[in-house]
């Protein structure tokens, strides 16, 4: 007689989205957990800290590019609405909003400019909305809580009801968290809500010297390691799981064949983790859980993905070293 496995017996009829993700991810030959689970309050703070690290070139490089590109965009596009995917703290958004204001974009009641920050973290989003509302009186802030990775959440972030032109900003190389086919599907969902006059503003990290890339994910202060381990704290807190975060080592390396950084948590000892609703999961010493992929692109690869999603690249700017790209793309009719 076959004994029912605890995993089946314990499974609630409607398990949480996180439990479903954990169940799925830990059942893979290469165990994995989705990177969105880095970002509770502590994780968001750690990420902010990462963006200020010497080694982490992405944020400051993109901000410099944005300072160059935003005034021109504000002048030529004159957006009526700004949708920001994965808004986070919306720090860079201010560069765009400032540029719009500088060219006299009416942040006023008669024709309010609308800012739609889209993020998974409701708490973070509320703070962002309140802060920006205070800094830019007249700005209409409409926060949307949505998971960009949710394939069924079509329209959750589609700027259909907004005044055009809409600028859809997807910054920080967050697109790099998606496998190319998933990124194309995401871009297609974005494209579906756009009018021909609208533009996509996409920030993407580019392939470069491997040592430079790897250093960005292996900082000397260990902030990225803490950020990585924080995912296990999040899963413990949310699900009552018994991961021992300190029994995992941070590992981040460039996978040249796939053109991406991979972050893993490597078990430093055999362990048995209880995940209520799922059961006990054995993790062997040396076994890893992949917590993130961060793709590093070149222009042909981005052009191919954008093309497959119904976009054409209109402008392309990189930093002098060619390490990071900030591009605009237009929807194809
Ligand atoms: C926010 C996904 C772009 O991949 O560089 C930073 C997250 N992970 N350090 C990235 C991250 C480790 C970041 N993204």
């Amino acid at each position: 007689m076959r004994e029912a496995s605890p995993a089946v017996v314990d499974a609630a009829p409607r398990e949480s989205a996180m439990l479903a993700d954990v169940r799925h991810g830990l059942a893979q030959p290469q165990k994995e957990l989705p990177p969105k689970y880095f970002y509770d309050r502590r994780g968001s703070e750690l990420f902010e800290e990462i963006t200020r690290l010497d080694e982490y070139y992405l944020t400051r490089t993109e901000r410099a590019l944005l300072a160059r590109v935003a005034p021109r965009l504000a002048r030529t596009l004159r957006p009526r609405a700004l949708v920001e995917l994965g808004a986070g703290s919306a720090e860079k958004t201010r560069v765009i909003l400032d540029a719009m204001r500088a060219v006299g974009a009416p942040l006023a009641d008669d024709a309010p400019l609308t800012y739609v920050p889209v993020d998974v973290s409701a708490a973070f989003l509320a703070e962002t909305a309140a802060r920006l509302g205070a800094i830019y009186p007249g700005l209409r802030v409409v926060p949307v809580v949505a998971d960009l990775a949710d394939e069924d959440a079509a329209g959750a972030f589609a700027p259909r009801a907004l005044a055009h032109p809409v600028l859809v900003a997807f910054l920080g190389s967050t697109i790099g968290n998606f496998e190319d086919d998933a990124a194309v599907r995401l871009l297609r969902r974005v494209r579906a809500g756009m009018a021909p006059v609208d533009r996509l503003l996409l920030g993407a990290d580019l392939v470069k010297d491997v040592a430079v890339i790897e250093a960005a994910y292996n900082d000397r202060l260990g902030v990225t390691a803490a950020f990585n381990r924080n995912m296990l704290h999040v899963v413990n807190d949310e699900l009552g799981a018994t991961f021992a975060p300190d029994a995992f080592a941070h590992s981040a390396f460039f996978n040249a064949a796939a053109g991406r950084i991979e972050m893993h948590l490597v078990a430093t000892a055999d362990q048995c983790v209880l995940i209520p609703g799922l059961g006990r999961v054995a993790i062997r010493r040396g076994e890893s859980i992949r917590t993130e992929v961060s793709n590093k692109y070149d222009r042909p690869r981005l052009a191919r993905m954008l093309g497959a999603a119904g976009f054409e690249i209109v402008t392309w700017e990189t930093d002098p070293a060619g390490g990071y790209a900030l591009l605009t793309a237009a929807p194809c009719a």
Side-chain angles (χ1 to χ4, degrees):
M1 198 179 85
R2 199 177 138 274
E3 204 182 278
S5 82
V8 173
V9 171
D10 290 349
R14 268 186 70 251
E15 62 183 18
S16 74
M18 184 189 281
L19 184 56
D21 287 341
V22 170
R23 176 194 299 283
H24 174 79
L26 295 187
Q28 302 308 305
Q30 165 64 69
K31 290 183 168 56
E32 60 185 19
L33 291 170
K36 66 184 171 201
Y37 296 131
F38 285 130
Y39 302 95
D40 66 347
R41 170 153 303 275
R42 172 98 182 109
S44 298
E45 281 165 11
L46 286 167
F47 179 68
E48 293 293 310
E49 224 177 294
I50 286 173
T51 64
R52 293 190 292 268
L53 292 169
D54 284 344
E55 295 96 332
Y56 197 77
Y57 57 87
L58 288 82
T59 310
R60 82 178 67 90
T61 308
E62 186 182 65
R63 190 180 298 111
L65 282 168
L66 209 47
R68 203 164 91 203
V69 169
R72 194 191 58 216
L73 255 181
R75 256 194 334 269
T76 58
L77 184 63
R78 298 209 154 251
R80 303 294 318 125
L82 172 63
V83 174
E84 186 173 17
L85 308 179
S89 71
E91 229 234 89
K92 283 167 285 191
T93 316
R94 296 189 50 188
V95 179
I96 303 176
L97 291 171
D98 287 343
M100 288 182 178
R101 194 154 66 169
V103 300
L107 294 176
D109 293 343
D110 48 334
L113 183 75
T114 306
Y115 172 54
V116 184
V118 183
D119 205 277
V120 267
S121 166
F124 223 56
L125 207 48
E127 271 173 43
T128 297
R131 201 177 55 247
L132 284 184
I135 299 173
Y136 301 94
L139 181 70
R140 194 170 69 114
V141 185
V142 184
V144 172
V145 179
D147 177 4
L148 301 181
D150 185 350
E151 311 256 349
D152 303 321
F157 47 86
R160 253 181 249 284
L162 299 173
H164 300 271
V166 176
L167 180 62
V168 181
F170 193 20
L171 300 173
S173 205
T174 301
I175 190 170
N177 277 177
F178 296 84
E179 309 276 352
D180 285 10
D181 54 348
V184 168
R185 290 195 300 274
L186 165 57
L187 291 169
R188 250 187 227 139
R189 296 196 292 278
V190 172
R191 159 76 187 78
M194 289 173 70
V197 292
D198 299 341
R199 291 292 178 269
L200 173 69
L201 177 66
L202 181 69
D205 198 18
L206 301 178
V207 279
K208 62 181 71 61
D209 181 0
V210 170
V212 172
I213 301 178
E214 289 190 335
Y217 296 85
N218 290 284
D219 64 279
R220 279 163 297 157
L221 295 176
V223 182
T224 307
F227 174 74
N228 198 3
R229 286 193 195 95
N230 187 60
M231 185 181 292
L232 299 182
H233 288 290
V234 171
V235 173
N236 285 348
D237 290 350
E238 290 271 317
L239 299 180
T242 61
F243 283 103
D246 291 339
F248 287 85
H250 167 73
S251 165
F253 56 87
F254 189 67
N255 174 340
R260 69 192 188 198
I261 278 282
E262 295 189 11
M263 288 218 310
H264 293 250
L265 288 164
V266 185
T268 53
D270 287 351
Q271 48 198 285
C272 176
V273 180
L274 174 64
I275 302 167
L278 203 164
R280 291 189 170 77
V281 177
I283 301 177
R284 304 260 163 249
R285 183 196 164 137
E287 193 179 358
S288 81
I289 302 172
R290 194 176 67 204
T291 49
E292 183 172 51
V293 299
S294 189
N295 282 285
K296 308 301 170 191
Y297 304 96
D298 54 25
R299 185 170 175 162
R301 182 173 168 194
L302 285 167
R304 181 164 28 79
M305 289 164 58
L306 285 160
F311 286 102
E312 189 207 9
I313 296 176
V314 178
T315 67
W316 169 273
E317 316 267 339
T318 73
D319 59 308
Y324 196 96
L326 187 62
L327 66 88
T328 60
C332 302

